Amino acid sequence: AQVIYEDDFEGSGNINWNPLFYLNTDQQWEENLEVVSNPFGEGNVGLVKDADTSYTGAALVGGDDFSFQYLAIEADVYCYTDTGSTSRYTGIALMADTSDDNGEINTRYVKLVADFDENMGVGKRLRLYNSELSMQTFSYSFDVKFYSSQIPGGIPEVDGWHKMRLEVRVVNADSVAYWVYFDGNMVGDGPVYDYTHQVGDAVHTPFFPGTFGLFSFQQGASLPGYFDNVKIEQLSTTGIGKNKPVASSFKLNPNYPNPFNPTTTISFTLPEAQRVNLSIYNTIGQKVKQLISRDLPMGDHEIVWNGTNEFGREVPSGIYYYRLSSRNYQEIRKMILMK
């Protein structure tokens, strides 16, 4: 990885911060990042907040635009745990497409936030989700939650500083992969995949982030979001980004039949004995079922998926993805369950 931007808010930063939300229909800008004295210690920190709550407490600032597709953002984030009766959280973001063809603001982003309150009755969690909100279902087209059992060290019990990191790499034209880290540890069991898929009449396409940001939210109020030691890296484009096998005999075949109901066969070829993982994912990148996670001999292999999840329950009709991975190979294919 190559460090391309840094900011410790002590005057040595090389990032030009910009507000990413409009204040009103007259297209006046929302509040920008401020450099303030650290209320919890020495030195300065960055402050992000929606001072007039015109976005119901949401505030987003972004750094200089650039065209790299393989990015990581890392920052010290002040995380809140005792939130009372309102929902509030802080986090980091990767963004793209900050304006449309007419020059209108159209920020799309994926954000990683520390949502450590209990008031909504959904449990404390880290949350990775995008900005594509359906007002009919009040849900996002990409929304992944990580609970205490998936976070090394668990959920913090008191307010305080924590290091958050989000990495993104392009897999192919239809998908990107995100890695989530909290206090230096990977969260979950590996990357989270965001695939091209359709929700109603709208087709969601994973975007390739072209800038980065800091995010703060409090329901109906103004939450001070404090940040420090922001670092932006361009990641290597090798490995998952190229999505190529290491040998011509290493191959993941199309499943058959496809579409299928209720079973389908997945076959693949290994050029040598090695440990492999074969998993099923839904269209928002959540793992549905682990089919294989063990050492296998060289040669041809096949396995039947019966359309059930890890709990043995039938999954609904729709598009699913199966991913074969080993130490230095991975490939993804799409299949359709049609009942």
Side-chain angles (χ1 to χ4, degrees):
Q2 176 186 1
V3 177
I4 52 178
Y5 289 90
E6 288 185 281
D7 203 338
D8 60 5
F9 305 110
E10 303 298 334
S12 61
N14 60 350
I15 298 173
N16 293 320
W17 295 101
N18 302 290
L20 269 299
F21 287 159
Y22 278 134
L23 175 63
N24 50 40
T25 55
D26 294 331
Q27 296 184 356
Q28 295 175 327
W29 287 110
E30 258 291 353
E31 293 78 13
N32 199 1
L33 177 143
E34 300 177 58
V35 177
V36 299
S37 297
N38 185 356
F40 313 104
E42 298 179 353
N44 296 327
V45 295
L47 170 64
V48 178
K49 66 176 181 178
D50 181 6
D52 56 13
T53 66
S54 57
Y55 272 83
T56 319
L60 176 67
V61 298
D64 293 333
D65 290 350
F66 48 88
S67 59
F68 302 134
Q69 294 182 350
Y70 301 80
L71 295 177
I73 177 172
E74 179 179 293
D76 294 331
V77 181
Y78 194 80
C79 301
Y80 296 90
T81 57
D82 182 14
T83 60
S85 61
T86 63
S87 178
R88 61 181 183 176
Y89 40 83
T90 49
I92 53 181
L94 293 169
M95 297 169 288
D97 299 336
T98 54
S99 62
D100 60 24
D101 293 339
N102 298 319
E104 299 294 331
I105 191 71
N106 185 28
T107 304
R108 296 180 64 203
Y109 53 89
V110 167
K111 54 188 178 287
L112 171 65
V113 302
D115 192 1
F116 296 155
D117 59 71
E118 291 280 14
N119 70 293
M120 301 300 290
V122 293
K124 299 182 178 183
R125 65 265 174 95
L126 287 171
R127 189 179 179 191
L128 178 67
Y129 60 113
N130 66 9
S131 56
E132 296 179 339
L133 175 65
S134 168
M135 299 310 295
Q136 286 73 39
T137 62
F138 208 69
S139 60
Y140 294 88
S141 60
F142 175 71
D143 191 354
V144 181
K145 291 96 169 175
F146 303 96
Y147 294 94
S148 182
S149 62
Q150 299 170 283
I151 304 172
I155 300 291
E157 296 296 329
V158 296
D159 297 356
W161 290 101
H162 295 275
K163 187 174 294 294
M164 298 175 67
R165 181 179 175 90
L166 177 61
E167 300 178 0
V168 61
R169 293 176 175 88
V170 178
V171 178
N172 52 42
D174 294 326
S175 59
V176 296
Y178 295 96
W179 282 257
V180 173
Y181 296 85
F182 190 74
D183 285 338
N185 298 305
M186 180 181 289
V187 175
D189 58 0
V192 175
Y193 292 86
D194 186 8
Y195 303 109
T196 297
H197 60 280
Q198 185 166 347
V199 179
D201 295 330
V203 177
H204 163 73
T205 302
F207 61 89
F208 303 150
T211 190
F212 51 89
L214 306 174
F215 182 85
S216 176
F217 171 84
Q218 181 173 1
Q219 187 177 31
S222 177
L223 173 72
Y226 295 106
F227 305 87
D228 203 0
N229 301 315
V230 181
K231 182 169 65 175
I232 311 301
E233 297 173 341
Q234 182 185 14
L235 304 174
S236 169
T237 59
T238 59
I240 185 173
K242 290 187 178 299
N243 195 31
K244 293 182 180 179
V246 297
S248 59
S249 58
F250 205 147
K251 183 180 182 182
L252 177 63
N253 301 308
N255 64 298
Y256 64 91
N258 190 29
F260 65 96
N261 179 28
T263 62
T264 189
T265 299
I266 300 170
S267 62
F268 55 92
T269 302
L270 302 181
E272 59 186 8
Q274 58 193 285
R275 185 174 184 83
V276 298
N277 291 281
L278 179 63
S279 301
I280 309 295
Y281 293 84
N282 61 22
T283 55
I284 61 172
Q286 296 171 324
K287 183 185 290 186
V288 173
K289 190 165 188 175
Q290 181 96 42
L291 296 179
I292 297 176
S293 181
R294 63 180 185 271
D295 294 328
L296 291 178
M298 177 183 67
D300 297 329
H301 301 270
E302 65 177 35
I303 187 170
V304 175
W305 182 45
N306 62 359
T308 61
N309 61 18
E310 295 283 14
F311 305 101
R313 301 188 183 97
E314 293 185 356
V315 299
S317 298
I319 296 174
Y320 293 88
Y321 294 82
Y322 57 102
R323 176 173 69 101
L324 178 69
S325 62
S326 67
R327 181 172 58 87
N328 53 7
Y329 170 92
Q330 84 161 358
E331 190 168 354
I332 300 170
R333 288 185 177 272
K334 180 171 67 174
M335 57 184 171
I336 300 174
L337 173 58
M338 186 177 295
K339 297 182 178 181

